Amino acid sequence: MNMSLDTQIYNKLILQLSDILPESFLLTSEEELRPYECDGLAAYKRLPVAVALPDTIEQVQAIVKVCSQLKVPVVARGAGTGLSAGALPHEGGIVLGLSRFNKIDSIDTDNLTAVVQPGVRNLAISEAVSPYGLYYAPDPSSQIACSIGGNVAENSAGVHSLKYGQTVHNVMQVKIVTIDGELITLGSETLDTPGYDLLALITGSEGMLGIIVEITVKLLPKAESIKVLMASFDEIEDAGHAVAAIIADGIIPAGLELMDKAAIHAAEDFVHANYPLDVAAILLCELDGDDIQLAEQVEKVDAILRDKKAVAVEIADSPEEQARLWAGRKSAFSAAGRISADYYCMDGTIPRKQIAHVLKRITEMSEKYGLRVVNVFHAGDGNLHPLILYDASIEGELESTEKFGGEILELCVEVGGTVTGEHGVGYEKLDQMCVQFNEAELTQFFAVKLAFDPDSLLNPGKAIPTLHRCAELGGMHIHNGELPFPDLPRF
Amino acid sequence: MNILDNDITAELQTQVKQAISNQTPLYIHGGNSKLFYGNTVDATPLDISAHTGIINYDPSELCITVRAGTKLSDIETLLAENNQILAFEPPHYLSSSNNNQDTATIGGTIASGISGPSRAYTGSVRDSILGVNIINGSGEIANFGGEVMKNVAGYDLSRMMVRSQGTLGVILNISVRVIPKPEQNITMTFEATQSEALSYFQNLRKNTLPITATAWLDNIALIRLSASEQVLQSCKEKVKGDERLNADSFWQDIRDHTHEFFTDSKNNDKPLWRFSLPPATPAKIQLDGQQLIEWDGAQRWIYSNAPDNIIQGIASSFKGFATHFKDATSNNAGNKELARFSELDPALFVLHKQLKNKMDPLGIFNPKRIYRGL
């Protein structure tokens, strides 16, 4: 079997895990392990020594205890839709799959919360609480497939994070199993919990501090009405200025998304959203609220867009029209995959006022490297997703792409931003972390890790680079336009 | 922007390094307006209140970056000039050691994590924080988070500084998210028993009305709504009661604990307890003494002489917590170490100790401020 784990330890591990789990819950043969070799970022692949698929918290505790005693790494995995190789297996460790934890335990329509197991799909929560007029706000684009446990581990966000926050703002309580096998509750059902905010710490910790086994999410009443505005611009910089102007005017849209000409064309060819093809950029602005408030805001936003040189503003009232406008945006990644052999997706976030400047610099870099770029992103949050188009079969093109991507992320940090807004560091962005954090900061991160996991057994080698590692660049590599889950909408 | 004095930062760092090398604990403080909140720290004071100034503020970024000693009132004045506010409406408790002046700093606000009346509707201190710059347990300056809205690079140590009460590091600078200032506020009020008010608040929570505060005391329920004039006009028909004019000072008094409920001597001869309960808890807390309810029922203030274990027992029976918020004014036993915060589950407390130990290995920062052993 796998050579990176001592045979004697491997045999002990399998023997002890077999005692805990029914036969079908423990995968050990290569063909069974193969589906777990990567997550949504298929550029990185490794086989684990085994995959454990428990269905009770007691089993999770027992598995972790065994691994802790034998010093075997544990990589927790939800639906495996992550985009930064956060769930990439460790070659000498097990994957702890939480897909059997797929039940919504309870819905509390008084406290507006739901207690869910980590394997529950994000969208399944909103579907389950919809009859009560409620929903769960964070909506990563992969929400039909991604699991809530993974969302907490990555602090996932979506189109509506601008107004309704990220996962960290929408979770009340999380139960974790520590590396010692202890079950610990972080947060509470109240609005203030005594002690340190370990709930915030665990959110976005990428499986490095504990295994998330239960989540209490916050539910919101659905907005009365929704409007979507689409504004077209002849200059992309004008679209960038319009974003800043809307926010500066005191309006927080539910979503505010920007697509450049290349993205518009790719999306239009793919889904026929009826986007204008002769413009440099479009801005999609979703507003929600009660009818009076909405009417006021639509009027204001419309005026701002025109003031910032929008050549046309279309207002979608009906759910069908709104879905059409969003369709192009939601399929933009897949659409990019159709016009290029490969693409490389960045996830930097920048201050809004830098949008126009950064887009201009990206255009200049694109000319310098001779590589096309498609820009489609969460403009309201300043979260960029430039897709660099390349062809891995052309010698040297991948290397230039990686250099180009690295230059974009360095630019994001330089203008006061971050290398990752929502996809996480995982295995993919370890090198870029060195650009953003200095030695004292990285040391502090390791100290936190060791407080929870002294032997570094929980998802080792992810999220925080070791001090001597600061060399090569990484990214989201898509080969021949094949997304790991091509049918999922992507942002 | 004002001129920032870098000597002050360097001086603070020197003091911390000195404390580390001498292994002498520090009591980190700003305006001392929340001195009462937690155990007394018997250590060399490290005064942050001179470390002031606005580092960066651009209204269209919805973010302000300031030095920790900057007074809350200065920040709020600047934000108001740009039609913005802090979402969590932080209290400005008057500092009894400074002739009842408003000395509250942003650093103390973040470290204590106490939010005001709007907390249940527009989020808490921790929800708003975007980044911090700290002096860590090795005396080095480190940055976590930043000024952008979304940032998942590294562990979220900036949010964890909130309510850590100075026990994990010295906060130097803070970036917080700000929100647009609502055009107008109105307050609706009606007579109600406690249970009537709780059940009415509960019904409101299922709507999308622009509520930004609720309160109940003296058999009166109050609901603040914040939006444009036109929207508020329509709200008046949807919310029970009559409009209470000029209610801003009422909410400010609730926020700052300058309301009669908090200042009346017949109340504050007993300790002030703060109950934090699941918002929909319908029951009245069965304790003698006057009660003030906020956040739809999630926050309840009670003056009570009942023994700690009875009070904690009541809180935990509702899956909530009780904080011994403030001593009775008659109690001058300032140094007495009380269990001011609900006890943590033992396994959770072990994690706290391990974390404290890794971040402040020599136990320099505000020892025992929250719990003995941290």
Side-chain angles (χ1 to χ4, degrees), chain A residues 109-112 154-155 157-158 161-162 166 168-169 178 182 184-186 188-201 203 205-206 208-209 221-224 244 247-248 250-252 290 292-293 296 300 349-353 378 381 383 416-425 433 436-438 440-441 444-445 447-452 464, chain B residues 56 58-62 84 113 119-120 124 126-128 134 136-137 140-145 147-157 159-160 162-164 167-168 177 180 183 202 205-208 210 228-231 234 238 274 276-281 295 298-299 319-321 341-342 344-345 347-348 351-352 354-356 358-359 370-371 374:
Chain A
T109 55
D110 291 328
N111 281 300
L112 308 187
E154 299 294 322
N155 192 13
S161 302
L162 177 60
Q166 298 152 264
V168 72
H169 301 105
T178 66
E182 291 270 7
I184 294 184
T185 302
L186 310 178
S188 72
E189 294 175 43
T190 74
L191 301 187
D192 273 291
T193 308
Y196 296 145
D197 197 343
L198 300 188
L199 178 62
L201 187 63
T203 308
S205 65
E206 305 197 14
M208 311 266 294
L209 305 180
K222 286 191 226 174
E224 213 170 90
I247 304 287
I251 295 162
I252 309 286
D290 71 52
I292 298 172
Q293 184 192 10
E296 282 178 1
K300 270 193 190 171
T349 303
I350 56 169
R352 281 177 210 93
K353 65 178 169 214
H378 309 299
D381 300 309
N383 186 195
T418 176
V419 298
T420 177
E422 60 182 2
H423 293 171
V425 175
M433 285 290 283
Q436 193 169 335
F437 294 100
N438 67 26
E441 291 149 0
Q444 191 102 39
F445 287 143
V448 171
K449 164 76 171 162
L450 293 178
F452 281 77
I464 316 296
Chain B
N56 193 15
D58 182 340
S60 77
E61 297 302 322
L62 298 180
Q84 295 187 327
R119 187 264 173 264
S124 64
R126 69 84 99 152
D127 289 335
S128 286
I134 63 166
N136 68 17
E140 295 157 315
I141 293 180
N143 249 314
F144 301 104
E147 297 185 316
V148 291
M149 298 293 116
K150 281 159 78 180
N151 188 350
V152 293
Y155 302 125
D156 195 346
L157 296 188
R159 242 177 265 283
M160 212 180 59
V162 178
R163 75 173 195 248
S164 67
T167 59
L168 297 175
R177 184 176 174 159
E183 283 174 35
Q202 178 53 28
R205 293 181 71 229
K206 296 175 186 174
N207 295 309
T208 52
S228 70
E229 191 179 353
Q230 216 186 343
V231 171
S234 75
K238 297 176 192 163
R274 172 175 175 270
S276 193
L277 307 181
T281 306
W295 305 355
Q299 173 159 274
K319 297 198 208 170
F321 309 98
F341 301 93
S342 292
L344 302 179
D345 173 76
L348 180 60
L351 269 187
H352 277 67
Q354 284 167 197
L355 197 63
K356 165 78 175 174
K358 290 289 176 192
M359 293 191 61
I370 320 177
Y371 293 108
L374 282 192

Side-chain angles (χ1 to χ4, degrees), chain A residues 238-253:
Chain A
D238 291 336
H241 294 314
V243 169
I246 290 169
I247 304 287
D249 200 59
I251 295 162
I252 309 286

Side-chain angles (χ1 to χ4, degrees), chain A residues 141-179:
Chain A
S141 54
S142 55
Q143 67 176 161
I144 58 170
C146 64
S147 65
I148 185 70
N151 289 176
V152 176
E154 299 294 322
N155 192 13
S156 302
V159 160
H160 295 105
S161 302
L162 177 60
K163 183 166 179 180
Y164 296 106
Q166 298 152 264
T167 303
V168 72
H169 301 105
N170 289 279
V171 166
M172 304 281 295
Q173 177 181 295
V174 163
K175 287 187 182 169
I176 63 164
V177 171
T178 66
I179 192 63

